[in-house]
Amino acid sequence: MRAWAALTLLMALASSNLAHAQASTDAANAGKNRILLVLPFDNGTGQPNLEWIREAAPEILDARFASAGFAPMNRADRMYALDHLGLPQQFQPSRASALKLAQTLDVDSIIVGSYRMEATGIVAEARVLDVPHLRMSDVVMARGEMHDLVAIFDSLAWRLTRTMDPGFNVAQDTFLAAGASLRLDSFEQYIRGISEPDQQERERHLRQAVALSPNYSPAWMALGREDFSAQQYEEAAAAFAKVSPNDPDALEAGFYRGISLLYFGSYAQAQESFAGVARELPLAEVLNNEGVSVSRQDRDGTGLFVQAAAADPNDADYHFNLAVSLKHHGSEANALNELNQCLKLRPSDTEAQQLLAAWKTPSSANADDAAEPLERIVRTFDAGAFKQAALMMDQVEASRLAALSPHDRALKLTVRAKDYFNRGLLLESERLYQSAEASDGSLAEAHAGLAAVRERTGDSGAARKEANAALKLSPSLDAYLVLGRLDMAANHMDDANRDVGEALKIDPGSATAKELNREIEARTEKKQ
């Protein structure tokens, strides 16, 4: 069902009229809802030991395209789609077959590519098939040494993004920074771990991946899935807990962590896990399982079961659970109504039939056994539904932004951009700061934010330029802090002292400014 939901979502997204994206020139929505399919790259090296790069290419490109605002199909969706069309997983399309695939899936663009060796380095090249215009792009290429493989594909992602959206202004350095912390050996083990046909081999590679990079969320997510499938629920819960809240799979990780915790009796922790997911996307299956977690602690989960049944009134299990909870807490008439609704939706539900008979004849010998069933756990995560709900939230937010004045829209975007920056998501942050600047170029916060991004990605010249642009518009704590750090790094201590002094005038209580001031003083004393 999950795969069908994902394919249905793809079809719906591609055919929907996203008027709000066209009505706004906001760069934050550049590429938004444009569905991309990145196929595994063709191995032109002639070396079987480099076959893993076939899957590495779409993994990196998908991540960068998502951060840039596109909607790439993930690997699971791609594998389902190829299987559904009767195509092998190693499918390498011609232009005609790629076009047929794109039209069948209603995607907007397909990326096809290859890689080959060049002396001691590697060359990656790709083309974009623009489906609506029936046009194949020129070859886009990136090259480098093998040890810089991630950076090569980050660079290729930036070039492809510019090909699909010529107005895209995020710097190449920001794309490169997105993968700078990823160890190549860990990444290789991860790719082998998600592509090996043998379960034990997959698990072995994934455990090596997380041992090499303990903070690598995609590997933890994949390992959690393997442990969950093997019914190793304690191990699965521990793996899912390692997935960063900034990871695109964080909500799915929280959901399956909650189920894993339920299975080995950690009900309070399970409730906490489901509640965390529900705060972001309160879908029926999440609310239901949170209710189960509450009821297993001998507390009243009725309110959550009510919400679940309201969110998806056509699911018999939600009415069954609500009936059990209502009965347990003394609301017998309402419990019977919900149980009847369950049987109306699923007449063949044997457990519900027996329970209804027991409730109607409480004096029967089996009444005590039948009257206290356990609420049902929803055991599957509908990734398509979660994507669709997230998309709807994005659409609502985009509509709200479009209705604001340019100045207010820019202010909202800078707040979101700073949140991304603080979470280490530089690509997303820069995209929104660029959008804020495009909406209102007189907003100092947007320039100061871009200065901080440029500083983080190592472009000190561009960082200084944006910081000075911010200060021409308005006094800015963040801009002075960027200049202070840059001047200190350049050993211009008088300028650094002046910068931090101006920052402290704006906010005398700033902990960041005080810490920078201490560093400058210590550096100055040491120099003397």
Side-chain angles (χ1 to χ4, degrees), residues 75-146:
R75 183 174 184 273
D77 294 336
R78 167 169 52 83
M79 291 178 67
Y80 169 79
L82 291 175
D83 181 67
H84 183 67
L85 295 171
L87 298 170
Q89 298 303 318
Q90 293 76 28
F91 174 64
Q92 285 296 323
S94 64
R95 173 173 175 160
S97 58
L99 178 59
K100 180 181 178 181
L101 177 62
Q103 291 173 329
T104 301
L105 295 176
D106 283 339
V107 300
D108 298 298
S109 299
I110 282 187
I111 286 84
V112 294
S114 62
Y115 55 97
R116 66 180 188 275
M117 299 301 296
E118 185 178 76
T120 61
I122 188 168
V123 178
E125 57 185 38
R127 290 176 180 242
V128 180
L129 174 61
D130 181 344
V131 178
H133 299 96
L134 303 180
R135 182 172 61 235
M136 185 80 84
S137 76
D138 293 335
V139 172
V140 179
M141 187 179 299
R143 53 167 42 89
E145 295 300 312
M146 180 61 75

Side-chain angles (χ1 to χ4, degrees), residues 174-194:
T174 308
F175 272 68
L176 296 175
S181 64
L182 179 55
R183 287 181 54 160
L184 182 59
D185 53 358
S186 175
F187 182 59
E188 178 182 350
Q189 292 301 317
Y190 163 67
I191 294 298
R192 293 184 184 279
I194 63 174

Side-chain angles (χ1 to χ4, degrees), residues 10 13-14 31-39 58 61-75 77-78 102 105-111 128-132 157 160-161 164-165:
L10 290 170
L13 290 176
K32 205 72 173 175
N33 307 315
R34 285 178 57 183
I35 304 167
L36 311 180
L37 173 61
V38 184
L39 291 171
L61 295 182
D62 284 347
R64 303 301 170 258
F65 290 149
S67 295
F70 295 92
M73 293 177 67
N74 61 28
R75 183 174 184 273
D77 294 336
R78 167 169 52 83
L105 295 176
D106 283 339
V107 300
D108 298 298
S109 299
I110 282 187
I111 286 84
V128 180
L129 174 61
D130 181 344
V131 178
L160 288 167
T161 300
M164 292 184 285
D165 180 9

